Amino acid sequence: MNTLFETERLLLRTMQADDLDAVYEIWGSPEVMKYCGGASTKSQIQRSIEFYRRLQNEKGYSVYTVLLKETSSIIGVCGFNPAENEHEVELLYHFNQHCWGKGYAAEAAAGCVAALRKNSPNVRKMIAAVDPANPASGKVLRKIGMTAAGMKWFEDTQQEELCYEMELA
Ligand SMILES: CC(C)(COP(=O)(O)OP(=O)(O)OC[C@H]1O[C@@H](n2cnc3c(N)ncnc32)[C@H](O)[C@@H]1OP(=O)(O)O)[C@@H](O)C(=O)NCCC(=O)NCCS
């Protein structure tokens, strides 16, 4: 089943197989993914799209494709990964570099949080981790009401990151 919701300027929907080329412009870009584990290959992205379709069906939340209403073009991805604790999710947002600085990330993230509150009442907390060298990302999190909870070491990125959180229940 395709999930669809909207904000003032954006449409968010379940990822689909033919999003591959547009999503590759985002997850395949070393510049966009500089602070987020690096760029992915097309076949990795294909598997991610399948994963996020399954996640939506299994959990009722996921990472979504973000489209600009005005042009119907895909400008980003935004949504949630499962966290270690089953009552928590991790917020993620990556946008095409051409679209930075227009407030789209904060608008999309706020829309995802509203949908999560409505559709997944069992999720009680949202978390996010930010590379301290990426101030724009921390700004997005503070704009949507998340608060900094301290630094934590991450094995995958091999560095300390600033953790943000927000209670949902
Ligand atoms: C981080 C990212 C999602 C922000 O997207 P965006 O649509 O430009 O975000 P917004 O416009 O909603 O807000 C960004 C804010 O950060 C500010 N900002 C941008 N670059 C900045 C910088 N270098 N230092 C400080 N603030 C900065 C902007 O001015 C804006 O604040 P404002 O609304 O008060 O002016 C986007 O840059 C991106 O996709 N980056 C690559 C992926 C990424 O880092 N994802 C997050 C963590 S993995």
Side-chain angles (χ1 to χ4, degrees):
M1 192 182 74
N2 271 350
T3 294
L4 184 74
F5 53 96
E6 64 183 292
T7 64
E8 190 188 339
R9 296 175 295 171
L10 308 171
L11 278 177
L12 292 95
R13 63 154 165 72
T14 312
M15 288 195 169
Q16 51 197 48
D18 62 5
D19 290 345
L20 182 61
D21 287 343
V23 176
Y24 180 64
E25 280 187 37
I26 299 160
W27 281 341
S29 160
E31 194 52 45
V32 174
M33 300 308 285
K34 187 170 163 191
Y35 301 111
C36 313
S40 296
T41 63
K42 260 200 178 173
S43 60
Q44 286 170 327
I45 295 169
Q46 204 162 13
R47 285 197 293 278
S48 296
I49 291 175
E50 286 158 17
F51 170 80
Y52 286 123
R53 289 188 66 79
R54 276 199 308 278
L55 185 65
Q56 180 63 36
N57 287 334
E58 285 166 16
K59 303 266 194 192
Y61 61 76
S62 192
V63 171
Y64 304 99
T65 312
V66 182
L67 297 93
L68 195 59
K69 276 184 191 172
E70 201 182 334
T71 59
S72 298
S73 57
I74 293 172
I75 59 163
V77 297
C78 184
F80 307 103
N81 270 316
E84 272 172 39
N85 180 325
E86 68 165 313
H87 296 296
E88 296 182 10
V89 292
E90 185 175 12
L91 177 65
L92 163 164
Y93 41 85
H94 304 130
F95 281 74
N96 191 308
Q97 209 174 345
H98 304 300
C99 302
W100 292 358
K102 298 191 168 104
Y104 293 140
E107 184 173 327
C112 286
V113 174
L116 184 73
R117 284 183 193 278
K118 193 169 147 215
N119 302 330
S120 306
N122 57 326
V123 177
R124 297 193 198 119
K125 190 173 171 182
M126 176 171 72
I127 57 172
V130 169
D131 184 330
N134 187 4
S137 185
K139 201 150 190 193
V140 170
L141 297 178
R142 291 191 297 277
K143 264 182 175 176
I144 64 163
M146 294 187 79
T147 48
M151 301 295 286
K152 190 176 151 193
W153 175 261
F154 285 83
E155 282 300 325
D156 54 349
T157 51
Q158 285 288 300
Q159 65 174 18
E160 285 219 305
E161 297 192 8
L162 181 55
C163 295
Y164 282 79
E165 55 185 40
M166 186 159 91
E167 302 289 338
L168 297 168

